[in-house]
Amino acid sequence: MPDLDIVKNLLDVKKRIKKVSISCRRNPDDVRLVAVSKKISPEKIKTALDAGVGILGENYIQEAQKKIAGFGNRDVSWHFIGHLQSNKAKLAVDLFDMIHSVDSFHLAESLNREARKNNKNMDILVQANVSGEHSKHGLDPNKILQLLKEISSLSNLSVQGLMTMPPLSDNPENSRPFFALLRKLRDELASSELKYICLKELSMGMSSDFEVAIEEGSTLVRVGTSIFGPRN
Ligand SMILES: *Cc1c(COP(=O)(O)O)cnc(C)c1O
């Protein structure tokens, strides 16, 4: 895709975020755009950065490692949004500003250990599997309170909120019940005995359904295709 299309797409996505935020009486500034750059070339990513992207989302540690090294001088946050294995915890902590996909205490412990070595406070989200699909990563919603309690003993992790991915569908309305569930879960957890844990972020919504996600309370939309075009 020519670079001009990326700039135009980005403006269009930002405009849509603003429009839907206003129409549901939310402050557009409360919705942050994570431009998902997995499998996208550094040239295209540079175009997006020059056009004002402030957060990039990556799914694969090794791929991200190369890219992040090449953009070391840029003022951009890198978010890890893919499935993470504990044996990659060190790289994940070294490379990323936020990890959206924590779904076990084992992984949380590994991240905490590495964060402590780096003297870093690692921002994380807990990924919930609200659809119950077996193929999906993420934790059963009924187990999240327990995980949050356990994580609260890990001094170098800072839980910022929850993340989810509904089943793929070509109708964005099919995602709405899952987004609503994540928000309800967050609200319940936030009023539980974990009051001291901050759950302000809801990472939900992708190219096909980010507007519905914003209507349901999303604070981080993860948009790839609508900005960069189809991935190879
Ligand atoms: C790839 C990916 C996205 C972006 O998907 P698009 O449909 O290209 O916007 C968002 N979130 C996660 C977790 C992804 O893996």
Side-chain angles (χ1 to χ4, degrees):
M1 180 187 292
D3 282 2
L4 269 178
D5 287 354
I6 294 175
V7 176
K8 187 176 141 297
N9 290 347
L10 184 63
L11 285 174
D12 181 59
V13 167
K14 284 185 175 172
K15 211 185 286 173
R16 286 165 64 192
I17 291 173
K18 192 166 183 178
K19 183 158 179 252
V20 69
S21 299
I22 289 168
S23 77
C24 65
R25 293 168 202 275
R26 294 188 57 197
N27 182 346
D29 295 340
D30 292 343
V31 182
R32 290 189 292 158
L33 174 63
V34 180
V36 176
S37 50
K38 64 172 174 236
K39 298 185 181 161
I40 301 299
S41 70
E43 293 72 30
K44 289 180 179 174
I45 295 173
K46 182 176 179 299
T47 304
L49 288 175
D50 291 344
V53 157
I55 308 174
L56 289 165
E58 288 280 341
N59 290 59
Y60 309 104
I61 293 282
Q62 261 98 9
E63 180 191 334
Q65 190 175 18
K66 290 190 200 123
K67 288 180 186 168
I68 294 173
F71 288 109
N73 57 340
R74 301 290 300 235
D75 184 20
V76 55
S77 295
W78 294 86
H79 287 199
F80 188 78
I81 63 172
H83 178 63
L84 185 59
Q85 282 163 335
S86 301
N87 60 7
K88 302 267 171 61
K90 175 177 163 39
L91 280 171
V93 168
D94 286 349
L95 295 169
F96 288 94
D97 301 294
M98 184 182 276
I99 295 169
H100 288 223
S101 48
V102 176
D103 62 359
S104 74
F105 186 62
H106 180 63
L107 175 58
E109 270 187 311
S110 305
L111 293 170
N112 185 63
R113 199 177 312 123
E114 298 303 331
R116 178 176 295 179
K117 283 185 207 159
N118 287 10
N119 209 1
K120 174 173 180 171
N121 187 32
M122 186 76 231
D123 286 341
I124 63 166
L125 305 177
V126 170
Q127 183 174 355
N129 179 350
V130 286
S131 67
E133 271 189 309
H134 290 305
S135 59
K136 282 272 186 300
H137 294 294
L139 192 61
D140 178 340
N142 294 318
K143 297 184 175 152
I144 289 184
L145 178 60
Q146 181 60 33
L147 178 63
L148 291 176
K149 282 182 189 166
E150 290 167 356
I151 289 178
S152 66
S153 69
L154 303 177
S155 55
N156 290 67
L157 295 190
S158 173
V159 181
Q160 299 291 315
L162 304 177
M163 180 273 223
T164 203
M165 262 178 99
L168 283 179
S169 159
D170 45 22
N171 180 356
E173 283 304 323
N174 290 343
S175 301
R176 190 184 296 278
F178 301 111
F179 295 150
L181 267 173
L182 193 72
R183 184 198 178 128
K184 184 162 166 276
L185 180 63
R186 189 277 306 275
D187 292 348
E188 284 166 10
L189 292 167
S191 62
S192 70
E193 63 252 67
L194 294 165
K195 285 192 181 69
Y196 51 90
I197 282 194
C198 158
L199 293 172
K200 69 176 190 300
E201 305 287 1
L202 287 174
S203 168
M204 55 190 200
M206 316 193 342
S207 289
S208 57
D209 55 15
F210 69 84
E211 283 151 317
V212 170
I214 290 168
E215 287 172 350
E216 298 300 331
S218 177
T219 63
L220 286 163
V221 289
R222 309 178 308 264
V223 180
T225 314
S226 290
I227 295 171
F228 294 109
R231 290 177 287 271
N232 305 321

